[in-house]
Amino acid sequence: MHASEWVRSWRFLLSRRWVLFALAVLVLAYGTWWLGEWQFGRLDDRKDRNAVIRANEDRPPAPVDEVLSPGGDVAERDEWRVVSATGTYDASDTVVVRYRTRDGIPGVNAVVPLVTPGGTALLVDRGWMQTDNRGTTAADLPAPPEGEVTVTAWVRADGTGDSTRVADQSTRAISSSEIGPALDREVYGGFVELRSETPEPAESLARVELPELDNGPHFFYGLQWWFFGILAVGGFTYLARDEWKHGPRSARRRPRPSGRTPVTAGPSQRPQQPAVDREHRPGDERRGG
């Protein structure tokens, strides 16, 4: 086949049907590539987070003033850093964090301001309690220790979005920039999740669950998205080659079924009606003939 003939044989790809098909495959392939890149980006972020957590696990607790500041942001390197602070809990300003489930069980977290000697409050997430998310109030939660308390806790960055709004001393996500004004208090930026407190309370809450330090499913999810993109391009290539080789599917002749084709009887082949004996017709007996 000459080059010009070969080019003409592929001209069907310029038809409206094939152009739209190609555009759809390109959009799908780009989307799967982008989603794969997004998953691998999340994998890199998780590896970085795990490295920070592992590094901070081996560091001794630091005074809270060395890590956090009033109204400041939590540095990425300080996420999950252990800090210590001494102060007095103000249970009247407890904030209920709703819709916190563990193993499918509904519950709430209790955030209580720990007022330090300088007057700045540290927002302490004291833990989780199984309960109804809607009707629970601060009065239903176990009370924190009274008097001077020393805590060690993991540093966490503020939540973001509409879920951090505070109404009636309850919220769905913890953010010092929202809780501080709602309580009319000066607070440290970020918050902490309780590891220990001295003295111990009469009734404790379930402590925070530390994050898993594995890489998660992001690597395999990324490969899956890329595989779907390759599958789409491969399917387009197969269908295009099939039409180039055999022509459009709608124009292909269907094979006849095996066996003889039934022949329709013509006028000359119609079966003859049986002759009636004119000498003795039916009904002659009734006529008495």
Side-chain angles (χ1 to χ4, degrees):
M1 180 183 294
H2 296 294
S4 58
E5 295 177 352
W6 186 85
V7 171
R8 281 196 299 271
S9 66
W10 286 97
R11 289 186 65 181
F12 69 89
L13 292 175
L14 300 178
S15 65
R16 181 174 179 271
R17 176 171 63 93
W18 277 97
V19 168
L20 292 177
F21 186 19
L23 289 175
V25 170
L26 286 175
V27 171
L28 178 62
Y30 175 78
T32 54
W33 173 84
W34 183 87
L35 288 169
E37 285 288 308
W38 175 64
Q39 286 291 343
F40 285 118
R42 292 191 64 189
L43 174 61
D44 291 338
D45 293 341
R46 185 153 183 159
K47 288 180 177 179
D48 293 341
R49 186 208 65 172
N50 290 347
V52 170
I53 294 174
R54 290 190 180 97
N56 287 335
E57 279 181 338
D58 298 330
R59 302 173 70 180
V64 65
D65 289 325
E66 293 184 7
V67 180
L68 302 179
S69 61
D73 295 327
V74 175
E76 187 175 347
R77 67 179 182 276
D78 291 328
E79 186 84 19
W80 294 102
R81 178 81 185 273
V82 179
V83 296
S84 62
T86 299
T88 305
Y89 281 121
D90 189 347
S92 64
D93 276 348
T94 297
V95 176
V96 178
V97 187
R98 304 190 184 279
Y99 306 107
R100 296 298 179 95
T101 60
R102 290 193 180 185
D103 300 325
I105 302 173
V108 298
N109 280 38
V111 174
V112 186
L114 180 74
V115 184
T116 62
T120 304
L122 176 66
L123 298 179
V124 181
D125 182 354
R126 298 190 60 248
W128 177 85
M129 184 180 78
Q130 177 183 348
T131 183
D132 181 12
N133 280 302
R134 296 183 178 179
T136 303
T137 65
D140 301 318
L141 300 173
E146 296 182 355
E148 188 176 80
V149 181
T150 298
V151 303
T152 61
W154 288 280
V155 171
R156 300 301 311 277
D158 284 334
T160 58
D162 294 338
S163 60
T164 60
R165 292 177 181 175
V166 180
D168 298 326
Q169 289 188 209
S170 71
T171 185
R172 288 183 294 154
I174 306 170
S175 172
S176 61
S177 61
E178 294 286 341
I179 294 178
L183 300 180
D184 194 22
R185 285 185 177 278
E186 182 184 49
V187 297
Y188 287 98
F191 65 100
V192 296
E193 292 185 327
L194 186 65
R195 189 175 76 164
S196 66
E197 56 188 353
T198 305
E200 290 284 341
E203 183 180 356
S204 298
L205 293 162
R207 298 292 166 81
V208 61
E209 295 179 329
L210 295 178
E212 297 290 339
L213 296 182
D214 56 17
N215 291 332
H218 305 298
F219 178 78
F220 295 102
Y221 285 169
L223 288 182
Q224 285 178 0
W225 282 118
W226 282 0
F227 173 75
F228 291 151
I230 293 173
L231 192 65
V233 174
F236 176 86
T237 304
Y238 170 79
L239 293 174
R241 187 177 182 277
D242 181 68
E243 184 156 329
W244 170 77
K245 194 172 183 180
H246 302 291
R249 290 178 177 270
S250 59
R252 299 176 194 175
R253 296 182 61 184
R254 295 182 179 178
R256 292 182 177 180
S258 58
R260 293 183 178 181
T261 303
V263 179
T264 304
S268 61
Q269 297 173 320
R270 293 176 182 171
Q272 297 294 329
Q273 296 293 332
V276 179
D277 186 2
R278 294 182 180 276
E279 297 299 328
H280 186 78
R281 297 177 180 174
D284 286 348
E285 294 81 1
R286 293 195 301 273
R287 296 175 185 174

PDB file of all heavy atoms in Angstrom, residues 41-63:
ATOM      1  N   GLY A  41       0.782  12.785  44.966  1.00  0.00           N
ATOM      2  CA  GLY A  41       1.062  13.957  45.785  1.00  0.00           C
ATOM      3  C   GLY A  41       0.637  13.753  47.229  1.00  0.00           C
ATOM      4  O   GLY A  41       1.350  14.148  48.160  1.00  0.00           O
ATOM      5  N   ARG A  42      -0.523  13.118  47.413  1.00  0.00           N
ATOM      6  CA  ARG A  42      -0.967  12.809  48.773  1.00  0.00           C
ATOM      7  C   ARG A  42      -0.026  11.807  49.439  1.00  0.00           C
ATOM      8  O   ARG A  42       0.200  11.873  50.659  1.00  0.00           O
ATOM      9  CB  ARG A  42      -2.385  12.236  48.740  1.00  0.00           C
ATOM     10  CG  ARG A  42      -3.457  13.228  48.318  1.00  0.00           C
ATOM     11  CD  ARG A  42      -4.837  12.676  48.573  1.00  0.00           C
ATOM     12  NE  ARG A  42      -5.065  12.483  50.004  1.00  0.00           N
ATOM     13  CZ  ARG A  42      -6.133  11.853  50.503  1.00  0.00           C
ATOM     14  NH1 ARG A  42      -7.030  11.329  49.689  1.00  0.00           N
ATOM     15  NH2 ARG A  42      -6.280  11.708  51.803  1.00  0.00           N
ATOM     16  N   LEU A  43       0.528  10.904  48.646  1.00  0.00           N
ATOM     17  CA  LEU A  43       1.507   9.959  49.199  1.00  0.00           C
ATOM     18  C   LEU A  43       2.737  10.703  49.702  1.00  0.00           C
ATOM     19  O   LEU A  43       3.249  10.413  50.803  1.00  0.00           O
ATOM     20  CB  LEU A  43       1.893   8.940  48.132  1.00  0.00           C
ATOM     21  CG  LEU A  43       3.011   7.954  48.500  1.00  0.00           C
ATOM     22  CD1 LEU A  43       2.603   7.103  49.694  1.00  0.00           C
ATOM     23  CD2 LEU A  43       3.360   7.076  47.309  1.00  0.00           C
ATOM     24  N   ASP A  44       3.228  11.667  48.921  1.00  0.00           N
ATOM     25  CA  ASP A  44       4.388  12.451  49.363  1.00  0.00           C
ATOM     26  C   ASP A  44       4.071  13.235  50.636  1.00  0.00           C
ATOM     27  O   ASP A  44       4.902  13.317  51.552  1.00  0.00           O
ATOM     28  CB  ASP A  44       4.828  13.399  48.253  1.00  0.00           C
ATOM     29  CG  ASP A  44       5.418  12.665  47.059  1.00  0.00           C
ATOM     30  OD1 ASP A  44       5.873  11.519  47.234  1.00  0.00           O
ATOM     31  OD2 ASP A  44       5.423  13.231  45.941  1.00  0.00           O
ATOM     32  N   ASP A  45       2.866  13.818  50.691  1.00  0.00           N
ATOM     33  CA  ASP A  45       2.480  14.564  51.890  1.00  0.00           C
ATOM     34  C   ASP A  45       2.424  13.649  53.109  1.00  0.00           C
ATOM     35  O   ASP A  45       2.834  14.044  54.208  1.00  0.00           O
ATOM     36  CB  ASP A  45       1.112  15.228  51.680  1.00  0.00           C
ATOM     37  CG  ASP A  45       1.157  16.325  50.634  1.00  0.00           C
ATOM     38  OD1 ASP A  45       2.258  16.819  50.336  1.00  0.00           O
ATOM     39  OD2 ASP A  45       0.076  16.680  50.109  1.00  0.00           O
ATOM     40  N   ARG A  46       1.915  12.439  52.900  1.00  0.00           N
ATOM     41  CA  ARG A  46       1.818  11.513  54.030  1.00  0.00           C
ATOM     42  C   ARG A  46       3.201  11.092  54.506  1.00  0.00           C
ATOM     43  O   ARG A  46       3.442  10.963  55.719  1.00  0.00           O
ATOM     44  CB  ARG A  46       0.990  10.296  53.628  1.00  0.00           C
ATOM     45  CG  ARG A  46       0.738   9.330  54.777  1.00  0.00           C
ATOM     46  CD  ARG A  46      -0.523   8.556  54.561  1.00  0.00           C
ATOM     47  NE  ARG A  46      -0.823   7.680  55.681  1.00  0.00           N
ATOM     48  CZ  ARG A  46      -2.030   7.194  55.942  1.00  0.00           C
ATOM     49  NH1 ARG A  46      -3.042   7.516  55.169  1.00  0.00           N
ATOM     50  NH2 ARG A  46      -2.234   6.390  56.969  1.00  0.00           N
ATOM     51  N   LYS A  47       4.117  10.861  53.566  1.00  0.00           N
ATOM     52  CA  LYS A  47       5.478  10.510  53.958  1.00  0.00           C
ATOM     53  C   LYS A  47       6.123  11.641  54.746  1.00  0.00           C
ATOM     54  O   LYS A  47       6.819  11.393  55.752  1.00  0.00           O
ATOM     55  CB  LYS A  47       6.305  10.178  52.729  1.00  0.00           C
ATOM     56  CG  LYS A  47       5.948   8.847  52.064  1.00  0.00           C
ATOM     57  CD  LYS A  47       6.815   8.597  50.853  1.00  0.00           C
ATOM     58  CE  LYS A  47       6.520   7.248  50.221  1.00  0.00           C
ATOM     59  NZ  LYS A  47       7.349   7.014  49.009  1.00  0.00           N
ATOM     60  N   ASP A  48       5.913  12.882  54.306  1.00  0.00           N
ATOM     61  CA  ASP A  48       6.477  14.029  55.026  1.00  0.00           C
ATOM     62  C   ASP A  48       5.876  14.132  56.427  1.00  0.00           C
ATOM     63  O   ASP A  48       6.600  14.396  57.405  1.00  0.00           O
ATOM     64  CB  ASP A  48       6.212  15.323  54.251  1.00  0.00           C
ATOM     65  CG  ASP A  48       6.981  15.376  52.935  1.00  0.00           C
ATOM     66  OD1 ASP A  48       7.970  14.620  52.793  1.00  0.00           O
ATOM     67  OD2 ASP A  48       6.586  16.153  52.049  1.00  0.00           O
ATOM     68  N   ARG A  49       4.549  13.933  56.528  1.00  0.00           N
ATOM     69  CA  ARG A  49       3.903  14.001  57.836  1.00  0.00           C
ATOM     70  C   ARG A  49       4.430  12.915  58.760  1.00  0.00           C
ATOM     71  O   ARG A  49       4.711  13.162  59.943  1.00  0.00           O
ATOM     72  CB  ARG A  49       2.387  13.843  57.663  1.00  0.00           C
ATOM     73  CG  ARG A  49       1.599  14.045  58.956  1.00  0.00           C
ATOM     74  CD  ARG A  49       0.306  13.252  58.935  1.00  0.00           C
ATOM     75  NE  ARG A  49       0.534  11.814  58.915  1.00  0.00           N
ATOM     76  CZ  ARG A  49      -0.423  10.908  59.055  1.00  0.00           C
ATOM     77  NH1 ARG A  49      -1.668  11.288  59.207  1.00  0.00           N
ATOM     78  NH2 ARG A  49      -0.141   9.609  59.036  1.00  0.00           N
ATOM     79  N   ASN A  50       4.581  11.701  58.226  1.00  0.00           N
ATOM     80  CA  ASN A  50       5.086  10.600  59.045  1.00  0.00           C
ATOM     81  C   ASN A  50       6.504  10.881  59.534  1.00  0.00           C
ATOM     82  O   ASN A  50       6.853  10.543  60.674  1.00  0.00           O
ATOM     83  CB  ASN A  50       5.060   9.296  58.245  1.00  0.00           C
ATOM     84  CG  ASN A  50       3.647   8.802  57.986  1.00  0.00           C
ATOM     85  OD1 ASN A  50       2.695   9.275  58.593  1.00  0.00           O
ATOM     86  ND2 ASN A  50       3.515   7.859  57.077  1.00  0.00           N
ATOM     87  N   ALA A  51       7.312  11.498  58.670  1.00  0.00           N
ATOM     88  CA  ALA A  51       8.684  11.817  59.075  1.00  0.00           C
ATOM     89  C   ALA A  51       8.693  12.833  60.213  1.00  0.00           C
ATOM     90  O   ALA A  51       9.490  12.719  61.166  1.00  0.00           O
ATOM     91  CB  ALA A  51       9.468  12.348  57.879  1.00  0.00           C
ATOM     92  N   VAL A  52       7.789  13.825  60.149  1.00  0.00           N
ATOM     93  CA  VAL A  52       7.701  14.817  61.218  1.00  0.00           C
ATOM     94  C   VAL A  52       7.246  14.172  62.519  1.00  0.00           C
ATOM     95  O   VAL A  52       7.794  14.438  63.600  1.00  0.00           O
ATOM     96  CB  VAL A  52       6.745  15.956  60.806  1.00  0.00           C
ATOM     97  CG1 VAL A  52       6.458  16.872  61.990  1.00  0.00           C
ATOM     98  CG2 VAL A  52       7.333  16.766  59.658  1.00  0.00           C
ATOM     99  N   ILE A  53       6.233  13.284  62.429  1.00  0.00           N
ATOM    100  CA  ILE A  53       5.725  12.629  63.644  1.00  0.00           C
ATOM    101  C   ILE A  53       6.806  11.770  64.280  1.00  0.00           C
ATOM    102  O   ILE A  53       7.003  11.792  65.508  1.00  0.00           O
ATOM    103  CB  ILE A  53       4.477  11.794  63.312  1.00  0.00           C
ATOM    104  CG1 ILE A  53       3.330  12.710  62.874  1.00  0.00           C
ATOM    105  CG2 ILE A  53       4.054  10.966  64.516  1.00  0.00           C
ATOM    106  CD1 ILE A  53       2.104  11.960  62.378  1.00  0.00           C
ATOM    107  N   ARG A  54       7.521  11.003  63.453  1.00  0.00           N
ATOM    108  CA  ARG A  54       8.583  10.142  64.001  1.00  0.00           C
ATOM    109  C   ARG A  54       9.678  10.973  64.670  1.00  0.00           C
ATOM    110  O   ARG A  54      10.206  10.594  65.722  1.00  0.00           O
ATOM    111  CB  ARG A  54       9.165   9.276  62.890  1.00  0.00           C
ATOM    112  CG  ARG A  54       8.221   8.185  62.388  1.00  0.00           C
ATOM    113  CD  ARG A  54       8.948   7.216  61.474  1.00  0.00           C
ATOM    114  NE  ARG A  54       8.065   6.169  60.977  1.00  0.00           N
ATOM    115  CZ  ARG A  54       7.460   6.183  59.811  1.00  0.00           C
ATOM    116  NH1 ARG A  54       7.647   7.217  58.981  1.00  0.00           N
ATOM    117  NH2 ARG A  54       6.673   5.201  59.433  1.00  0.00           N
ATOM    118  N   ALA A  55      10.015  12.095  64.043  1.00  0.00           N
ATOM    119  CA  ALA A  55      11.056  12.949  64.631  1.00  0.00           C
ATOM    120  C   ALA A  55      10.591  13.549  65.951  1.00  0.00           C
ATOM    121  O   ALA A  55      11.365  13.633  66.917  1.00  0.00           O
ATOM    122  CB  ALA A  55      11.437  14.051  63.647  1.00  0.00           C
ATOM    123  N   ASN A  56       9.303  13.958  66.016  1.00  0.00           N
ATOM    124  CA  ASN A  56       8.800  14.596  67.230  1.00  0.00           C
ATOM    125  C   ASN A  56       8.542  13.597  68.351  1.00  0.00           C
ATOM    126  O   ASN A  56       8.522  13.977  69.527  1.00  0.00           O
ATOM    127  CB  ASN A  56       7.520  15.374  66.931  1.00  0.00           C
ATOM    128  CG  ASN A  56       7.799  16.654  66.157  1.00  0.00           C
ATOM    129  OD1 ASN A  56       8.896  17.194  66.234  1.00  0.00           O
ATOM    130  ND2 ASN A  56       6.820  17.121  65.412  1.00  0.00           N
ATOM    131  N   GLU A  57       8.331  12.325  67.985  1.00  0.00           N
ATOM    132  CA  GLU A  57       8.097  11.314  69.019  1.00  0.00           C
ATOM    133  C   GLU A  57       9.306  11.159  69.942  1.00  0.00           C
ATOM    134  O   GLU A  57       9.157  10.854  71.131  1.00  0.00           O
ATOM    135  CB  GLU A  57       7.770   9.968  68.374  1.00  0.00           C
ATOM    136  CG  GLU A  57       6.331   9.822  67.912  1.00  0.00           C
ATOM    137  CD  GLU A  57       6.073   8.457  67.307  1.00  0.00           C
ATOM    138  OE1 GLU A  57       7.043   7.800  66.879  1.00  0.00           O
ATOM    139  OE2 GLU A  57       4.904   8.047  67.273  1.00  0.00           O
ATOM    140  N   ASP A  58      10.492  11.342  69.398  1.00  0.00           N
ATOM    141  CA  ASP A  58      11.718  11.115  70.160  1.00  0.00           C
ATOM    142  C   ASP A  58      12.212  12.373  70.879  1.00  0.00           C
ATOM    143  O   ASP A  58      13.233  12.318  71.575  1.00  0.00           O
ATOM    144  CB  ASP A  58      12.827  10.600  69.236  1.00  0.00           C
ATOM    145  CG  ASP A  58      12.471   9.267  68.593  1.00  0.00           C
ATOM    146  OD1 ASP A  58      11.727   8.487  69.229  1.00  0.00           O
ATOM    147  OD2 ASP A  58      12.922   9.011  67.457  1.00  0.00           O
ATOM    148  N   ARG A  59      11.498  13.476  70.715  1.00  0.00           N
ATOM    149  CA  ARG A  59      11.928  14.718  71.368  1.00  0.00           C
ATOM    150  C   ARG A  59      11.240  14.851  72.716  1.00  0.00           C
ATOM    151  O   ARG A  59      10.067  14.501  72.877  1.00  0.00           O
ATOM    152  CB  ARG A  59      11.592  15.919  70.483  1.00  0.00           C
ATOM    153  CG  ARG A  59      12.229  15.838  69.106  1.00  0.00           C
ATOM    154  CD  ARG A  59      11.742  16.949  68.194  1.00  0.00           C
ATOM    155  NE  ARG A  59      12.252  18.252  68.601  1.00  0.00           N
ATOM    156  CZ  ARG A  59      11.960  19.379  67.947  1.00  0.00           C
ATOM    157  NH1 ARG A  59      11.176  19.355  66.882  1.00  0.00           N
ATOM    158  NH2 ARG A  59      12.470  20.523  68.373  1.00  0.00           N
ATOM    159  N   PRO A  60      11.936  15.383  73.721  1.00  0.00           N
ATOM    160  CA  PRO A  60      11.311  15.567  75.039  1.00  0.00           C
ATOM    161  C   PRO A  60      10.261  16.670  74.969  1.00  0.00           C
ATOM    162  O   PRO A  60      10.302  17.537  74.087  1.00  0.00           O
ATOM    163  CB  PRO A  60      12.491  15.967  75.935  1.00  0.00           C
ATOM    164  CG  PRO A  60      13.482  16.576  74.984  1.00  0.00           C
ATOM    165  CD  PRO A  60      13.340  15.828  73.694  1.00  0.00           C
ATOM    166  N   PRO A  61       9.276  16.660  75.874  1.00  0.00           N
ATOM    167  CA  PRO A  61       8.267  17.722  75.878  1.00  0.00           C
ATOM    168  C   PRO A  61       8.903  19.104  76.020  1.00  0.00           C
ATOM    169  O   PRO A  61       9.842  19.297  76.793  1.00  0.00           O
ATOM    170  CB  PRO A  61       7.396  17.378  77.098  1.00  0.00           C
ATOM    171  CG  PRO A  61       7.611  15.910  77.309  1.00  0.00           C
ATOM    172  CD  PRO A  61       9.025  15.642  76.907  1.00  0.00           C
ATOM    173  N   ALA A  62       8.361  20.023  75.243  1.00  0.00           N
ATOM    174  CA  ALA A  62       8.863  21.398  75.275  1.00  0.00           C
ATOM    175  C   ALA A  62       7.835  22.297  75.950  1.00  0.00           C
ATOM    176  O   ALA A  62       6.629  22.035  75.859  1.00  0.00           O
ATOM    177  CB  ALA A  62       9.125  21.897  73.854  1.00  0.00           C
ATOM    178  N   PRO A  63       8.272  23.348  76.654  1.00  0.00           N
ATOM    179  CA  PRO A  63       7.305  24.299  77.209  1.00  0.00           C
ATOM    180  C   PRO A  63       6.434  24.884  76.099  1.00  0.00           C
ATOM    181  O   PRO A  63       6.908  25.138  74.990  1.00  0.00           O
ATOM    182  CB  PRO A  63       8.192  25.369  77.859  1.00  0.00           C
ATOM    183  CG  PRO A  63       9.491  24.677  78.115  1.00  0.00           C
ATOM    184  CD  PRO A  63       9.657  23.696  76.992  1.00  0.00           C
TER     185      PRO A  63
END
